[in-house]
Amino acid sequence: MHLSNESLLVIIVVGIVAGWLAGNIVRGGGYGLIGDLVVGVIGAFIGDWLLPQLSIHLGTGMVALIVNATLGAIVLLIVLRLISGVGGGGWRGGVGRRW
């Protein structure tokens, strides 16, 4: 597989924007430039797989790519939050604590 400089730039821009949006929607803040990029790129893969499974087709173009990647990144962050138990009373959320 050969990536041109333009396609690599598009992947990076979409990843950063989608990761930042998902971080703000799910957690209330981003994860920094590299963290947002990683979350956005992994989210793009999740969105590319999940949305067609749900018969959702967003079309083509940069906006559709960002929305697709953002939805995938939101799913990723929610799953990570459920697994890690961070925030809002997860499985470690205060069980057995006495104040």
Side-chain angles (χ1 to χ4, degrees), residues 38-79:
V38 170
V39 168
V41 170
I42 294 172
F45 287 113
I46 292 171
D48 280 342
W49 173 80
L50 181 63
L51 293 180
Q53 299 294 323
L54 300 172
S55 298
I56 299 172
H57 304 284
L58 300 175
T60 60
M62 185 70 93
V63 173
L65 288 173
I66 291 173
V67 170
N68 185 16
T70 301
L71 292 174
I74 288 171
V75 169
L76 173 66
L77 292 177
I78 289 173
V79 168

